[in-house]
Amino acid sequence: MALPPLATVDDLAGHMQVDPGTLPANAATVLDQVSAIIRKQAKNQFVRRTTTLKRTPVEGVIRLPLRPVVSVDAVTLNGAPVDHDWDEETERLFVRGCERVSVTFTHGYASVPGDVVAVALTAAQRVLTNPNDLRQETVGAVSVTYAAETIGASLSPADRDLLARYRRTFAVGRVL
C-alpha cells in the first residue's frame, strides 16, 4: 500500500511563501521521496491502523511495538476472549496467563504531527532550492556555498534528532 506524502504541495507552497503554480513540476515527487526518507528514519508510518499480532506475555505483561497505541480492541486465545488490562500511562498490556495470545489494537496518528510535517517541508525545500546538488556556485563576483544538508534528499542532524522521539523502540528484559 502506497502511503500518502507527509505534507501536500499546497503546504509546501505556503511554507516557501510562493504560489503553488510556481513550484517545480517535481514538487509532489520530492514530497513523496522526503516522506519515505522520514518514515524510514523514524521507523514510523504516521498513519492510524489496526493490527493483530501474536505475543507471549512475559510475567503477565505484553509490550506492544507500534506507537502510539490508541486502543486495545481484543485479546484472544484460540478465538476466545482473554481477560486483560491496558495501562495507557505505562503502555503495558496485562494479561492473565502465559500462553501466546492474539492482540488486536489500534495505533498510530490520526494526522501527521506538526513537527514531522515541518521536517518534510524543510527537507523538500532544500531539494527544490538546490536541484543540481551543488556544493558551491559562482557567477561573476557572486559566490554561493550550500550547506551539506542541501545536497540530495537527506535529513539534517537536527531533523534526525527531532524524529528520534517517534522511533518504535522498546526493550525486553528480565529482573532477577
Side-chain angles (χ1 to χ4, degrees), residues 12-55:
L12 181 58
H15 176 75
M16 295 177 69
Q17 298 180 14
V18 298
D19 183 83
T22 63
L23 287 173
N26 68 334
T29 301
V30 169
L31 283 168
D32 284 337
Q33 292 167 347
V34 165
S35 295
I37 291 167
I38 289 169
R39 286 182 167 113
K40 184 174 181 178
Q41 176 68 35
K43 295 188 180 188
N44 197 311
Q45 301 300 310
F46 299 106
V47 294
R48 179 146 302 160
R49 291 191 170 149
T50 299
T51 300
T52 300
L53 300 172
K54 291 197 178 278
R55 292 289 186 260

Side-chain angles (χ1 to χ4, degrees), residues 102-114:
S102 290
V103 181
T104 301
F105 62 106
T106 302
H107 58 90
Y109 297 89
S111 59
V112 181

